[in-house]
Amino acid sequence: MQQLKEVLFMSMLLVRGGRPLAGEIEVYGAKNAVLPILAASILTTERVILHHCPKLLDVENMVAILRTLGAHVQVEGSQITIDPQYAHSHEMPEELSKVMRSSIFMLGALISRFKQAWVTHPGGCEIGLRPIDLHLKGLRELNVFVREEHGAIHCQGDDVRGASITLDYPSVGATENIMMAAVTAKGTTVIHNAAREPEVADLAGFINTMGGKIRGAGTDCIRIEGVENLHGTEYTIMPDRIVAGTYMAAAAITGGDVTIRNIIPAHQHAVAAKLTEAGCIIDWKQDTVRVRAPKRLREMNKIDTLPYPGFPTDMQAQMMAVASVASGTCIITENVFENRFKHAGELARMGANITIKDRIAVVRGVEQLHGARVEAKDLRGGAALVLAGLAAKDETMVEGLCYIERGYQDLAAELAVLGACIEKGD
Ligand code: EPZ
């Protein structure tokens, strides 16, 4: 039994609620920017130095993938140096691509570098089926030969040609993969209905410092002029807007007063608008935002997740926790992923009043949540349970720390800086 307890204890966070968060915290580099940028680092044979990289499980896995392909990679704190000249393989390691579905971003980069790619179909994950049909359709339009069989994808791109591509849906990953495949194609590619997420713009910014010619990233129309080759570079990753949003939600749910540094205000507006509706006072300075929350949050009447600049799906779970203790009723519609309400059942175990029907959650705010033993079932759902624990009476045990560590460097230590009483099984 002891053995079992220790193992269980190893993978959980213990949160003692009831304390308003206060103080200042700085945001680290964005997971969803550094992952495609690490993939893009093999577009050149010259050295790439990345600053402000977050220390995350997903980043470790992407580094492992680059090393398996032959690239030399050095990680020193938040700096990652890649020597891509030694990369020699176009085949993604199956065991790694299974662990992390964002390895699919390697497709476009491998095609550009080696004219071919072999990856395992990443499959679904906790929040949905995560199809990649738009990725493959876009690559075929670039004259890449794509064969899918036995759960693997083989791409042959001996003569990649620019094309005008219209995405059926503004998929972030599809936009990024097409961009990376098009950057050394013959001719010009235009992506219509492209994803406008800031992480797409960060990837384009990185590639342009390597000599790429990408215009319009961050808008729904991106123009990529093919170039012969790309040179080495040094680049700083943008701040993580979802980590920043999570800290803002933590201030709100605890009635706290928190200042968050190293943010890009435009990236936080959708979340800030909802917190303002809930009665929070939000003050902005250049790269800083301060959130002061009332003792009891007012009603937020609805949250609809949408592609950027709409409300981010990656903040839906955290805001469901906030709505659980706000006044009134909040109708949350998850328009982006088909299975992203798994945290609702766990919040209900803490006393939240939530009804789910398909992609709609009706959240009726309660006065007080109570501590319970709950389980994270995906990355942002795990963060939501920690936030709920901060507001709950008594103690909450959040199991499934491995999910949370995919997207947060050390959520327990980060929130403890703001006065949270939280510790992890070590
Ligand atoms: C990126 O995933 C992010 N991941 C996700 O963050 C984020 O939630 C998502 O964009 C939306 O913003 C990374 O950047 C590593 P999509 P991605 O392609 O690229 C459908 C987190 O918590 N679709 O924009 O996979 C898909 O099923 C993670 O940090 C197709 O139908 O997102 C989904 O319903 C979670 N066919 C919708 O589009 C395709 O070929 C959005 O997916 C591709 C996508």
Side-chain angles (χ1 to χ4, degrees):
M1 216 29 201
Q2 180 59 21
Q3 184 71 21
L4 180 65
K5 189 171 176 308
E6 263 161 22
V7 169
L8 281 180
F9 189 74
M10 286 285 280
S11 69
M12 73 170 71
L13 290 179
L14 287 174
V15 190
R16 182 168 293 285
R19 300 168 65 157
L21 296 192
E24 292 206 4
I25 189 163
E26 179 155 331
V27 178
Y28 38 84
K31 167 177 89 79
N32 293 347
V34 73
L35 293 177
I37 285 173
L38 280 167
S41 66
I42 65 157
L43 290 171
T44 178
T45 55
E46 297 175 12
R47 173 168 299 184
V48 169
I49 301 174
L50 301 176
H51 299 287
H52 200 228
C53 300
K55 302 175 195 76
L56 302 170
L57 228 45
D58 275 8
V59 173
E60 286 170 30
N61 284 331
M62 190 55 102
V63 166
I65 285 172
L66 293 179
R67 284 176 175 152
T68 311
L69 297 174
H72 291 187
V73 185
Q74 216 178 348
V75 180
E76 291 151 301
S78 64
Q79 179 177 308
I80 299 181
T81 304
I82 302 109
D83 265 328
Q85 61 177 311
Y86 305 105
H88 53 73
S89 165
H90 66 277
E91 296 193 358
M92 279 278 294
E94 177 160 0
E95 63 286 359
L96 277 171
S97 34
K98 278 262 157 236
V99 163
M100 191 183 71
R101 64 171 319 284
S102 29
S103 54
I104 193 67
F105 292 131
M106 288 305 305
L107 254 189
L110 288 168
I111 292 165
S112 266
R113 174 72 185 271
F114 298 115
K115 303 286 172 232
Q116 58 179 335
W118 186 96
V119 300
T120 311
H121 200 292
C125 74
E126 314 77 21
I127 61 176
L129 285 172
R130 310 296 292 273
I132 56 168
D133 56 307
L134 300 179
H135 297 239
L136 303 184
K137 185 164 173 262
L139 293 176
R140 288 187 169 110
E141 291 180 58
L142 292 173
N143 196 36
V144 174
F145 174 73
V146 179
R147 194 177 69 240
E148 299 173 76
E149 58 184 6
H150 314 307
I153 301 154
H154 185 214
C155 298
Q156 194 66 40
D158 300 315
D159 179 23
V160 183
R161 292 185 172 280
S164 171
I165 296 169
T166 299
L167 290 176
D168 297 343
Y169 178 91
S171 153
V172 172
T175 302
E176 292 170 339
N177 248 332
I178 293 164
M179 185 190 284
M180 287 188 267
V183 77
T184 56
K186 285 193 197 70
T188 298
T189 297
V190 182
I191 307 175
H192 299 285
N193 196 27
R196 295 184 278 175
E197 271 69 6
E199 293 78 13
V200 173
D202 214 30
L203 172 64
F206 167 71
I207 295 174
N208 284 344
T209 63
M210 298 163 87
K213 289 190 177 150
I214 303 173
R215 299 289 173 268
T219 75
D220 63 354
C221 181
I222 301 176
R223 188 183 174 78
I224 303 131
E225 221 178 297
V227 294
E228 282 291 302
N229 53 48
L230 297 160
H231 53 73
T233 187
E234 199 156 346
Y235 192 77
T236 299
I237 305 295
M238 64 174 262
D240 194 312
R241 60 192 170 98
I242 304 302
V243 169
T246 304
Y247 295 156
M248 293 170 75
I253 201 170
T254 59
D257 177 353
V258 172
T259 297
I260 303 157
R261 291 196 313 276
N262 187 31
I263 58 125
I264 296 172
H267 298 173
Q268 310 306 145
H269 284 162
V271 172
K274 285 294 147 194
L275 296 182
T276 302
E277 191 182 329
C280 293
I281 299 168
I282 312 261
D283 298 307
W284 306 92
K285 266 195 234 142
Q286 288 81 1
D287 65 348
T288 301
V289 63
R290 181 182 177 189
V291 179
R292 282 176 284 170
K295 199 145 176 40
R296 182 83 203 274
L297 294 165
R298 291 207 301 260
E299 180 178 63
M300 296 178 289
N301 70 9
K302 71 184 187 118
I303 293 175
D304 291 356
T305 67
L306 289 167
Y308 192 88
F311 188 91
T313 175
D314 293 349
M315 278 300 302
Q316 178 259 108
Q318 298 91 311
M319 290 301 284
M320 185 182 285
V322 173
S324 299
V325 294
S327 314
T329 298
C330 184
I331 313 280
I332 300 179
T333 307
E334 174 50 67
N335 293 304
V336 178
F337 288 107
E338 72 271 20
N339 188 22
R340 201 170 198 176
F341 282 148
K342 285 190 177 155
H343 42 281
E346 298 302 295
L347 288 169
R349 289 164 51 75
M350 299 175 70
N353 180 344
I354 304 169
T355 319
I356 304 281
K357 180 124 180 46
D358 301 330
R359 291 193 180 209
I360 294 175
V362 178
V363 185
R364 293 179 178 81
V366 296
E367 287 284 328
Q368 174 79 57
L369 295 175
H370 49 78
R373 185 174 194 147
V374 290
E375 195 185 333
K377 305 206 170 145
D378 61 66
L379 161 54
R380 307 301 175 185
L385 296 174
V386 173
L387 297 189
L390 294 175
K393 223 168 28 142
D394 314 324
E395 193 169 78
T396 299
M397 266 186 213
V398 181
E399 290 175 347
L401 185 53
C402 53
Y403 284 109
I404 298 172
E405 287 175 335
R406 286 193 46 212
Y408 296 88
Q409 290 192 150
D410 185 345
L411 191 58
E414 292 155 27
L415 295 172
V417 160
L418 299 172
C421 185
I422 179 171
E423 57 183 356
K424 66 180 181 183
D426 40 19

